[in-house]
Amino acid sequence: MPQETEERFYPVSSPSVSQPPPSQDTDAAAAVRQAHLVTEALTAYAEALAAVSSPLVAHPGIWARCRMQAEHILNECIGALLTGDFPESGADAEFTSLAVVSDRAIGQVSPLESVRAAQILTDVALDVLSAEAARLPAESSLGCLSRAARMLSRSVMTRLSAGRIGYEAATLRSVGDANAAHRIRLGRDLHDHIGTSLSLAIRYLELHEVEKELSTPPDPARDRIAEALAVLSDAVRFTRTIVGDLRHEPLNRSLSEAIDTYAQTLATPTTVVDFQVKGDESWIPESHRQELFLIIRECLHNALAHSGASRIVAELLISPTASTCTVTDNGVGIAPHLPAGNGITAMRERVASLSGHFRLSSVPGQGTQAHIHIPLSKTRSAE
């Protein structure tokens, strides 16, 4: 009796001949063969992607989803060749493709890489299907190969179509996030540059009126009207910059000089402002100087405007690895139930944008302390 070969495991495709149902042994052998072919194809696919330096195999997370999707496609087309099944790629395939492309969009992988990967997978799958079809009986090999090729085309196109939708959705979402971040930044800049400047100008004018009513001899070194006009001029200049190109002017003076000047303008007959800098300002990257100035200025402004303090002490410590600032007042403190205002929210956001930490502590009736810590070493290395 002649020895049976694996050819008995493959169905003969013929519309005029009714095939008997395969035995359980036949099903099991086909499943083992299919798993073996899928594993071989996945290995060849990964090697082909690596040979063209595809970013899809460079990141473990992206490759895991890419491999899973390729495995589904290979199982569908190889299964169509071995068992005659011709399943529809349904919602699960589309959902998986949406997730895959979202990962790639987040990882900033070009959609062209997905198209190139699909072409590579198609080539690999066709090589496997052709080699396997050659092992079938001559009368059924062409029909089985045709069926498998149609399944391969349908599987790939279903996932590419879903992937296109996923990429468009991810792109629109990223644009929306960028617009939201821009609006937050713009609102923060308007508050810190214009709102604070206008509040300071009003403060100068109020002090001018108080000194007039008290008949206080004018300080020859202090002209409240001139100071108010200078601050208003700064606000107008920044407004023009916002309208022109939505970018603020750089800090032209040293950070310590700018803060010290601002601190001295806050000083009144009833409030002493003491500011000290320890360390080398050259350790602070240029990209951080403007932001740090606005954060400290807002701390000083809040202390003067809301605390009723007689003394405000600010200290900035600068090291090669971090800058730390504390602003302490002996005022009325902050009631714990009060929500954070725009100024505090803006400070938290600016500190967070510099990968720093902001902490505000207060005891009603005993004053408030703001603590800002901003790391510098990573930023310096990057620059």
Side-chain angles (χ1 to χ4, degrees):
M1 180 176 180
Q3 183 178 1
E4 293 183 343
T5 67
E6 288 185 341
E7 292 177 355
R8 66 187 294 271
F9 300 144
Y10 302 100
V12 177
S13 177
S14 175
S16 60
V17 178
S18 177
Q19 298 293 329
S23 66
Q24 292 184 353
D25 291 342
T26 302
D27 288 342
V32 171
R33 182 64 179 169
Q34 179 174 328
H36 173 71
L37 293 175
V38 168
T39 300
E40 282 189 342
L42 287 173
T43 301
Y45 179 49
E47 292 174 350
L49 289 176
V52 297
S53 301
S54 171
L56 300 183
V57 291
H59 190 282
I62 294 178
W63 167 240
R65 283 190 183 271
C66 180
R67 185 185 186 282
M68 178 184 65
Q69 183 163 252
E71 185 176 3
H72 290 165
I73 293 173
L74 291 168
N75 271 311
E76 288 176 358
C77 64
I78 294 175
L81 178 73
L82 299 183
T83 66
D85 293 335
F86 201 76
E88 291 288 337
S89 298
D92 289 343
E94 295 179 351
F95 180 79
T96 302
S97 297
L98 291 173
V100 168
V101 174
S102 295
D103 282 351
R104 295 177 188 177
I106 294 172
Q108 297 183 338
V109 177
S110 169
L112 293 178
E113 294 294 341
S114 296
V115 176
R116 181 167 69 163
Q119 181 60 58
I120 292 174
L121 180 61
T122 300
D123 292 342
V124 169
L126 285 176
D127 288 343
V128 172
L129 293 173
S130 299
E132 194 64 16
R135 304 175 71 245
L136 297 176
E139 64 272 18
S140 63
S141 62
L142 183 59
C144 290
L145 180 59
S146 175
R147 180 177 60 239
R150 291 198 306 273
M151 186 70 250
L152 172 62
S153 175
R154 179 178 298 182
S155 296
V156 171
M157 290 308 300
T158 296
R159 288 165 174 84
L160 281 178
S161 298
R164 177 186 61 81
I165 298 172
Y167 191 85
E168 291 175 354
T171 302
L172 290 174
R173 187 166 57 250
S174 65
V175 170
D177 292 343
N179 285 337
H182 177 70
R183 289 195 299 271
I184 292 173
R185 174 62 184 267
L186 182 58
R188 196 165 61 225
D189 284 346
L190 288 174
H191 174 272
D192 290 351
H193 285 275
I194 298 178
T196 301
S197 295
L198 294 178
S199 297
L200 186 59
I202 292 172
R203 178 67 172 173
Y204 289 150
L205 295 177
E206 290 174 345
L207 290 173
H208 175 73
E209 293 299 319
V210 169
E211 290 169 353
K212 278 201 322 181
E213 291 178 2
L214 297 178
S215 299
T216 304
D219 184 349
R222 304 294 298 272
D223 185 340
R224 300 294 186 184
I225 301 297
E227 290 174 340
L229 288 173
V231 171
L232 290 174
S233 297
D234 287 339
V236 170
R237 192 161 46 248
F238 178 75
T239 303
R240 288 173 177 168
T241 303
I242 286 277
V243 173
D245 60 5
L246 296 179
R247 292 183 300 178
H248 58 68
E249 297 178 352
L251 188 63
N252 295 322
R253 296 173 291 173
S254 70
L255 177 61
S256 57
E257 179 186 357
I259 297 176
D260 186 63
T261 300
Y262 182 76
Q264 294 309 314
T265 61
L266 293 179
T268 69
T270 58
T271 305
V272 176
V273 181
D274 182 17
F275 174 70
Q276 297 180 2
V277 177
K278 298 179 181 179
D280 188 346
E281 187 176 327
S282 65
W283 289 329
I284 300 178
E286 187 65 29
S287 59
H288 282 42
R289 291 175 64 248
Q290 177 76 17
E291 295 294 292
L292 192 54
F293 167 72
L294 293 174
I295 293 167
I296 298 174
R297 189 179 78 166
E298 183 63 25
C299 283
L300 294 172
H301 169 74
N302 283 349
L304 177 70
H306 306 298
S307 72
S310 61
R311 186 175 183 81
I312 303 172
V313 179
E315 183 178 55
L316 176 61
L317 304 178
I318 307 171
S319 74
T321 59
S323 59
T324 303
C325 181
T326 56
V327 179
T328 307
D329 67 67
N330 63 351
V332 297
I334 301 175
H337 65 278
L338 291 180
N342 289 331
I344 294 176
T345 300
M347 283 190 289
R348 290 189 186 280
E349 291 174 350
R350 288 191 186 278
V351 173
S353 71
L354 301 178
S355 301
H357 302 284
F358 177 83
R359 184 177 70 251
L360 192 67
S361 56
S362 180
V363 177
Q366 298 183 30
T368 303
Q369 182 180 80
H371 180 84
I372 302 112
H373 177 84
I374 297 174
L376 301 178
S377 55
K378 290 184 178 180
T379 304
R380 287 170 53 82
S381 299
E383 290 191 349

